[in-house]
Amino acid sequence: MDDEKRAHLLSFLKVIPPVDFCCVYGSVLHTTNHDKSTMVDYILGVSDPLQWHSENLKMNADHYASWMVLLGGAKLVTEVADKIGVGVHFNPFVTWNNKMFKYGVVRMHDLVQDILNWERLYLSGRLQKPEDLYAKICSLSYMGDLRMFFAEDRNKVKKIVQGQFDLFQSMYKPFLEEYEGKDLLRFSSSENQHANIYQDCGLPVARSHVSFLPPAIRSLMGIRLGRKKVTSESVQALHEVVIGSREEATKRMQKVLRRTVMVSSARQAVSGLLTVGGVKAARYLTNKMQKAWRSWT
């Protein structure tokens, strides 16, 4: 990314209160994107959302629905995000320097936990190309997302992976090398620079993958697959999900994940409607549906 573009992206941070973490994402970063009107997407991590919204209300009251400002202010904004949504305050159509921005504010602790818990979630089949693996990882966020049924580009995941392939390579190289060292993966020789990947799909490896899943996912899988009591090396009693085959575990994990994301996306949709107001919500949804329609035609 050139310095001019980086400076432009960072300029938005000058008009909001300080944040602990900032991530810019979306099609605006794709090297293949030529749509100059594309909205810039941010994820902002803050240690204290209540304090941050209190300060932002003084600086940018127009970022919030008027009824929220009048009835509860920062406290109401935070409660709607936490109790109705999934801990994210979502705000589209923020204008700065004649450019549209969209941001989500999340508590820093929650953001870090999400990254640690979901990094290795996908229990996949045999993978022959790196882009297959990256597409599966990228699709986690959209599996069960209500927007994917009617308001998202059908090729969204494919475009993300193609546009940011080198970034995916650099991000996941340490994990792939770690798994190769444990004989969970192996790389074939290839004429091009991207070696094919082969995965051990044996039952012991599948059980190992499941053991690394977030506790909530394992618990929901165990309800349908069953659980057995085992003793760890530290003589601590643990409950392990009963797995008969990798295919069975994969199918159940996908159902659990799809339902988890669907419930979260529905809650966040309601929270977003309350937060930004009906007019902005309708405008945002219309834009999304238009983009989705173009991907189908």
Side-chain angles (χ1 to χ4, degrees), residues 139-158:
S139 69
L140 289 174
S141 298
Y142 302 103
M143 187 181 296
D145 192 326
L146 296 177
R147 298 172 301 173
M148 295 303 293
F149 294 106
F150 61 91
E152 280 290 3
D153 186 336
R154 62 180 299 194
N155 301 310
K156 188 178 185 72
V157 170
K158 181 179 179 180

Side-chain angles (χ1 to χ4, degrees), residues 29-78:
L29 297 180
H30 294 184
T31 56
T32 55
N33 176 58
H34 302 291
D35 183 3
K36 302 303 180 181
S37 64
T38 299
M39 186 179 295
V40 183
D41 303 309
Y42 291 83
I43 294 177
L44 307 176
V46 300
S47 57
D48 187 340
L50 179 60
Q51 179 181 351
W52 191 90
H53 287 300
S54 296
E55 295 176 9
N56 196 44
L57 274 168
K58 298 175 183 177
M59 300 172 62
N60 305 290
D62 58 322
H63 285 193
Y64 305 88
S66 57
W67 73 272
M68 299 189 79
V69 177
L70 293 173
L71 295 181
K75 183 178 180 180
L76 181 58
V77 171
T78 306

